[in-house]
Amino acid sequence: MEKQLKRMATMQRLQTTGLELFYQKGYYNTSVDDILKELSLSKGAFYYHFQSKEEFFISIVQNLLFRKIYSALIEPIEGEEDPLNKIALCFDNALETAEHNFLDYGFVLSNFITEFNGKNPEIMNYLQDILKVWEVNLVTALQKGKTDGYVSRHIDSEAVASYLISSYIGVRTLMVEGNSKILRYKHIQQLRQYLKSMEYKEPA
Amino acid sequence: MEKQLKRMATMQRLQTTGLELFYQKGYYNTSVDDILKELSLSKGAFYYHFQSKEEFFISIVQNLLFRKIYSALIEPIEGEEDPLNKIALCFDNALETAEHNFLDYGFVLSNFITEFNGKNPEIMNYLQDILKVWEVNLVTALQKGKTDGYVSRHIDSEAVASYLISSYIGVRTLMVEGNSKILRYKHIQQLRQYLKSMEYKEPA
DNA sequence: AGTATAACAGACTTAATGGTCTGCTAGAAG
DNA sequence: CTTCTAGCAGACCATTAAGTCTGTTATACT
């Protein structure tokens, strides 16, 4: 029975540090040996558990990335009242973790999209699926906000959702070391202004 | 005298197709041989004109990328009246060329930023310099818009500029094949709404 | 015409990488 | 205690990359 545990533990360790390194250095620029060196493991270990580097990466996307994004960026908004405020808070939190140089999974996702775009359609599908779930959730939250009287009925929920994701992805791309604090501040300020413009207003 | 011309021509050809391939496949995923194969040139030619792959890339950034971005995204806004409209038009134009799968240099820039972030500080500096020029120009245009009576005096020009760049970078990251048309439409729609919220309003 | 050299061709070197394969070892099973 | 195998170590292989170096050719200059 203990072997099952060891198996799981080793796979988890590989995936965790795999994601870290892939994020820091990119997929193509991270060798399997880099990951193994970090964990003092050998090639034998890696290829015993995973068929290839690509299959390994996909397992990371599905097991780690998707779940993390869901819990960090999707679930907090789900079913909440006052979606506009909730969205601003959620994005602000994510940017805060990003500022302290932790893994910000929304950004990790966009990094990978940039890296695999036009190169690996299969992986691209997995990545885009995550984006779709994110977008659908935002749209749902906005629509619910309309019926609950928090959001103006005139807005195009899908357009807003995609604009929100776009600007988030964009600011994270630009948040490189040194300027992240100011950029985050500016971004949240403008985000709130943008969101404010679509609040429901009591008919006079 | 003809040798000078040949020298320039070869270097230009290398840089042009170099940029294309680096954009399509990424810097690290494009070999010098890939570029040479495209042009039916040899290693001797390449290393006769350039010291290394890195120096070659930097020359591309400074000679091609910077100038293209300047003429496509910076110059069209410079000194114009009604900056809000001009910005929307300029961004729309850029996204249109992007939709037809041509080189969109603003996006190329953000792709490279993503690729080199945390890996090559020297190249990062060259890339960020371009961003700074872009941002400064947007700020200047917005400030001029204030004095000319087109833009509300209450806005934070720097925050708006960085938010504009962010959202542009973001939407281009997400504009992968298939969904680009809808995404562009949604984006411009929301961009115009966002810009509208900062128009100068005649005091009642 | 003769020579020097700019511009290039292409074989070669060195280092890294994804993946294979054989073998060892600890713990589960009988 | 013996046997078997999951889990792993690490040498090895094939390929690819950046960069070097020597040789070749066309052109400018005298």
Side-chain angles (χ1 to χ4, degrees):
Chain A
M1 283 297 104
E2 204 175 286
K3 290 215 168 177
Q4 274 291 334
L5 289 177
K6 185 164 195 184
R7 179 186 180 82
M8 298 288 282
T10 305
M11 290 180 75
Q12 287 278 347
R13 290 205 309 155
L14 282 168
Q15 289 173 328
T16 305
T17 67
L19 178 58
E20 271 176 37
L21 292 187
F22 286 145
Y23 163 64
Q24 285 172 29
K25 318 203 301 169
Y27 175 81
Y28 293 109
N29 207 31
T30 301
S31 67
V32 175
D33 281 326
D34 288 339
I35 302 165
L36 296 172
K37 198 174 180 182
E38 196 88 358
L39 296 171
S40 299
L41 284 173
S42 68
K43 276 237 158 71
F46 184 87
Y47 284 96
Y48 177 75
H49 291 291
F50 302 98
Q51 290 177 22
S52 67
K53 189 187 177 186
E54 183 170 327
E55 188 254 4
F56 171 64
F57 182 77
I58 293 174
S59 84
I60 289 179
V61 170
Q62 298 202 299
N63 284 308
L64 282 181
L65 196 59
F66 181 76
R67 293 180 193 182
K68 294 278 189 179
I69 289 182
Y70 197 89
S71 64
L73 291 168
I74 298 179
E75 205 174 20
I77 296 171
E78 218 166 36
E80 293 283 335
E81 299 227 326
D82 197 357
L84 299 181
N85 258 318
K86 199 70 197 174
I87 287 169
L89 275 173
C90 185
F91 278 36
D92 199 3
N93 281 334
L95 289 184
E96 192 186 351
T97 70
E99 189 186 316
H100 297 87
N101 262 337
F102 298 144
L103 276 182
D104 167 27
Y105 297 96
F107 179 52
V108 175
L109 176 63
S110 87
N111 262 12
F112 290 150
I113 287 176
T114 301
E115 189 168 6
F116 289 109
N117 184 19
K119 292 164 213 164
N120 192 317
E122 190 190 352
I123 291 183
M124 277 299 285
N125 279 333
Y126 288 107
L127 298 173
Q128 281 190 272
D129 281 347
I130 303 182
L131 270 183
K132 279 177 197 160
V133 174
W134 190 7
E135 192 183 346
V136 165
N137 179 275
L138 281 173
V139 171
T140 307
L142 289 168
Q143 293 290 30
K144 187 170 181 301
K146 285 185 185 175
T147 65
D148 291 352
Y150 286 96
V151 180
S152 162
R153 293 193 170 274
H154 301 88
I155 69 153
D156 179 342
S157 296
E158 292 186 14
V160 171
S162 100
Y163 194 75
L164 287 171
I165 294 178
S166 292
S167 65
Y168 181 81
I169 297 296
V171 75
R172 281 300 286 114
T173 303
L174 303 180
M175 270 175 74
V176 296
E177 13 151 358
N179 61 356
S180 52
K181 192 160 191 159
I182 318 159
L183 214 55
R184 174 190 157 207
Y185 175 78
K186 288 183 190 168
H187 186 80
I188 293 297
Q189 174 192 329
Q190 293 302 305
L191 175 66
R192 287 196 179 275
Q193 182 189 319
Y194 172 60
L195 289 172
K196 197 178 184 63
S197 77
M198 59 189 77
E199 276 175 4
Y200 176 77
K201 289 177 186 65
E202 295 284 341
Chain B
M1 280 300 105
E2 202 176 287
K3 291 217 167 177
Q4 275 290 333
L5 290 178
K6 185 163 195 185
R7 178 187 181 83
M8 298 288 280
T10 305
M11 289 179 76
Q12 287 277 348
R13 290 204 309 154
L14 282 168
Q15 289 172 329
T16 306
T17 66
L19 179 57
E20 271 178 33
L21 291 187
F22 286 145
Y23 163 64
Q24 285 172 29
K25 317 204 298 170
Y27 174 80
Y28 292 109
N29 207 31
T30 301
S31 67
V32 174
D33 281 324
D34 288 340
I35 301 165
L36 296 171
K37 198 175 180 182
E38 197 88 358
L39 295 170
S40 298
L41 284 174
S42 68
K43 274 237 157 69
F46 184 87
Y47 284 96
Y48 177 75
H49 291 292
F50 302 98
Q51 291 178 21
S52 67
K53 188 187 176 187
E54 183 170 328
E55 188 254 4
F56 172 63
F57 182 77
I58 293 174
S59 84
I60 288 179
V61 169
Q62 298 201 299
N63 285 308
L64 282 181
L65 196 59
F66 181 76
R67 293 179 194 182
K68 294 279 188 178
I69 289 182
Y70 197 88
S71 64
L73 291 167
I74 297 179
E75 207 173 19
I77 296 171
E78 219 166 36
E80 293 285 334
E81 300 227 326
D82 196 358
L84 300 181
N85 259 318
K86 200 69 197 173
I87 287 170
L89 274 173
C90 185
F91 278 37
D92 199 4
N93 281 334
L95 289 184
E96 192 186 352
T97 69
E99 189 186 315
H100 297 86
N101 263 339
F102 297 144
L103 275 182
D104 166 27
Y105 296 96
F107 179 52
V108 176
L109 176 62
S110 86
N111 262 13
F112 289 150
I113 287 177
T114 301
E115 189 168 4
F116 289 109
N117 184 19
K119 293 164 212 165
N120 193 316
E122 191 190 351
I123 291 183
M124 277 299 286
N125 278 331
Y126 288 108
L127 297 173
Q128 281 190 271
D129 283 346
I130 302 182
L131 270 182
K132 280 177 195 159
V133 174
W134 190 7
E135 191 183 345
V136 166
N137 179 276
L138 281 174
V139 170
T140 308
L142 288 168
Q143 293 289 31
K144 186 170 182 301
K146 284 185 185 176
T147 65
D148 290 352
Y150 286 96
V151 180
S152 162
R153 291 194 171 275
H154 301 88
I155 68 153
D156 179 342
S157 297
E158 293 187 15
V160 171
S162 101
Y163 194 75
L164 287 172
I165 294 178
S166 293
S167 64
Y168 180 80
I169 297 295
V171 74
R172 282 299 287 114
T173 302
L174 303 181
M175 272 175 73
V176 296
E177 13 150 0
N179 61 355
S180 52
K181 193 159 190 159
I182 318 159
L183 213 55
R184 175 192 157 207
Y185 174 78
K186 288 181 188 170
H187 186 81
I188 293 297
Q189 174 192 330
Q190 292 303 305
L191 175 66
R192 288 197 179 275
Q193 182 189 319
Y194 171 61
L195 290 172
K196 197 176 183 65
S197 77
M198 59 188 77
E199 275 175 6
Y200 177 77
K201 288 177 188 65
E202 295 283 342

